Amino acid sequence: NILAELQAEGLGTKPLCFIAHSMGGLLVKQMLRNADSLAPEFNVFSHAVRGVVFLATPHTGSDLARLANYLKFFLRPTVAVKEVVQAAPALRELNLWYRQNADHLNIKTQVYFETQKTKGVQVVDAVSADPGIKDVTPLAIDANHITIAKPTSRESLVYRRSKQFVSEVILTPTEEHTVPITT
């Protein structure tokens, strides 16, 4: 439904860049996958997206989800938590799809992960945060899973680099997306 909502708002006709936190990053990847190959009426989105910034996205799962499963006697893990269990087949497949398609869709990627624990648990570590894309280096940020998505100022590294990234991918035309000018 998110693709339909975005389309109803008029998005997808101009370049887009997503900044996604945690499971929002997984949602963006699934949305791109659906737009590219499963829902042809939304194909415009897979070509409009120029970049994705992943903030603490568990591309290969999260140990917090595993911890929640161990504690299911005390907690009731949601379906969403169960799906991010480390190396869940659907999550692995989604990450492989993104890895194999981001380049041909001309989607640039930037990745950050937290180094501090949230309530005693590191939710997304360096391994889980790495989508495995050539020439993309996940950057460690001195924050926890919540604060990584809440920069304290415009001087913070995540804010400055994300702003620069969005400017580059949105404002810099690419060969594939440039309309030729004829005289």
Side-chain angles (χ1 to χ4, degrees):
N1 288 351
I2 291 177
L3 288 169
E5 289 284 346
L6 293 174
Q7 186 181 53
E9 291 295 321
L11 295 173
T13 58
K14 294 181 180 178
L16 295 170
C17 183
F18 287 100
I19 299 176
H21 175 243
S22 193
M23 289 182 67
L26 303 177
L27 179 65
V28 167
K29 290 195 304 188
Q30 185 63 54
M31 186 175 64
L32 289 168
R33 183 180 186 184
N34 288 351
D36 182 53
S37 53
L38 301 175
E41 67 271 26
F42 300 115
N43 192 259
V44 65
F45 287 100
S46 61
H47 297 289
V49 175
R50 302 293 200 284
V52 180
V53 176
F54 292 109
L55 300 174
T57 295
H59 297 283
T60 59
S62 172
D63 284 336
L64 181 62
R66 183 174 286 162
L67 177 64
N69 280 334
Y70 286 128
L71 298 174
K72 65 182 161 189
F73 180 74
F74 303 105
L75 303 172
R76 295 189 114 177
T78 64
V79 171
V81 169
K82 290 176 186 176
E83 288 179 357
V84 294
V85 172
Q86 189 77 0
L91 196 56
R92 183 176 183 278
E93 182 183 325
L94 180 62
N95 193 50
L96 287 173
W97 178 88
Y98 186 80
R99 206 184 298 174
Q100 294 167 355
N101 289 279
D103 193 43
H104 100 264
L105 290 171
N106 202 33
I107 298 172
K108 305 294 183 222
T109 304
Q110 202 172 70
V111 179
Y112 299 94
F113 66 95
E114 74 258 21
T115 59
Q116 297 177 5
K117 293 181 178 183
T118 304
K119 296 189 179 188
V121 177
Q122 185 161 2
V123 181
V124 178
D125 61 16
V127 174
S128 180
D130 189 353
I133 297 174
K134 182 182 178 226
D135 298 328
V136 174
T137 303
L139 293 179
I141 299 297
D142 188 27
N144 67 31
H145 192 68
I146 305 302
T147 60
I148 194 170
K150 297 179 180 185
T152 56
S153 76
R154 291 180 179 206
E155 300 307 312
S156 75
L157 182 61
V158 170
Y159 181 88
R160 288 182 295 137
R161 288 200 73 230
S162 296
K163 180 180 176 186
Q164 179 184 30
F165 179 78
V166 170
S167 293
E168 287 172 5
V169 299
I170 296 294
L171 301 178
T172 305
T174 62
E175 204 174 287
E176 182 180 316
H177 294 102
T178 305
V179 176
I181 299 174
T182 57
T183 55

